[in-house]
């Protein structure tokens, strides 16, 4: 059976006693340490990872749940969020490397196509196509590594409840500006 969602993400109908009981149980395991926009020490020297950290914490701080003192990502999740941020940076690096490998492969393929297989150029032609095929295999390997990293990144995102499906399609209410009270509200509420 999967782990239960935090009450802030649950939209099932519950009695007041059930909601109170669940809130008490959840608040008992929410640490008092608050995650700040300042990236933790393991992200020092990793600009893309630090930017991801700041973006994720800023987004969480915009939710009503975080402002009510019930953030989805708590200090218990800090290590996992650090791994997520570092992995995000690694994915960007691998994507850049993959793009360069593809460019190199395409250039060598064009050069190999220019060589005509004649008796005097046959050895060069075979060597050039060996290089092209080797580069294509390296490109495929890099592509597979990138796919694996993206899959892991998605899995961690689900664990942190930052994917739409992990939130089960329920939008976390955003904390917006309070609406000014009307004269009728003042009359009704005294």
């Amino acid at each position: 059976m999967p782990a239960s969602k935090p009450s802030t993400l649950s939209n099932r109908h519950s009695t007041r006693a059930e909601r109170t009981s669940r809130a008490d149980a959840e608040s008992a395991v929410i640490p008092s340490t608050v995650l700040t926009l300042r990236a933790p020490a393991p992200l020092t020297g990793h600009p893309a990872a630090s930017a991801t950290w700041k973006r994720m914490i800023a987004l969480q701080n915009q939710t009503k749940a975080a402002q009510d003192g019930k953030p989805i990502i708590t200090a218990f999740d800090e290590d996992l969020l650090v791994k997520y941020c570092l992995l995000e940076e690694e994915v960007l690096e691998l994507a850049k490397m993959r793009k360069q490998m593809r460019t190199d492969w395409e250039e060598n393929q064009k050069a190999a196509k220019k060589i005509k297989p004649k008796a005097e150029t046959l050895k060069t032609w075979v060597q050039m196509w060996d290089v092209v095929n080797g580069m294509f295999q390296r490109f495929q390997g890099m592509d597979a590594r990138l796919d694996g990293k993206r899959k892991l990144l998605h899995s961690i995102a689900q664990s942190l409840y930052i994917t739409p499906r992990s939130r089960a399609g329920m939008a976390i209410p955003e904390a917006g500006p309070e609406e000014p009270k009307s004269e009728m509200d003042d009359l009704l509420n005294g």
Side-chain angles (χ1 to χ4, degrees), residues 55-70:
R55 181 175 53 86
M56 296 307 297
I57 297 300
L59 284 172
Q60 174 173 274
N61 289 344
Q62 291 175 11
T63 64
K64 187 173 184 336
Q67 292 180 0
D68 290 343
K70 298 176 185 176

Side-chain angles (χ1 to χ4, degrees), residues 22-33:
R22 185 172 181 168
D24 290 343
E26 284 181 8
S27 64
V29 294
I30 294 177
S32 59
T33 304

Side-chain angles (χ1 to χ4, degrees), residues 87 90-91 94 140-156:
L87 193 58
E90 289 174 14
V91 165
L94 283 175
Q140 284 180 317
M142 183 63 68
D143 197 49
R145 284 192 67 203
L146 189 56
D147 285 344
K149 295 269 186 182
R150 286 180 176 152
K151 185 177 178 181
L152 178 59
L153 190 66
H154 181 72
S155 175
I156 292 174

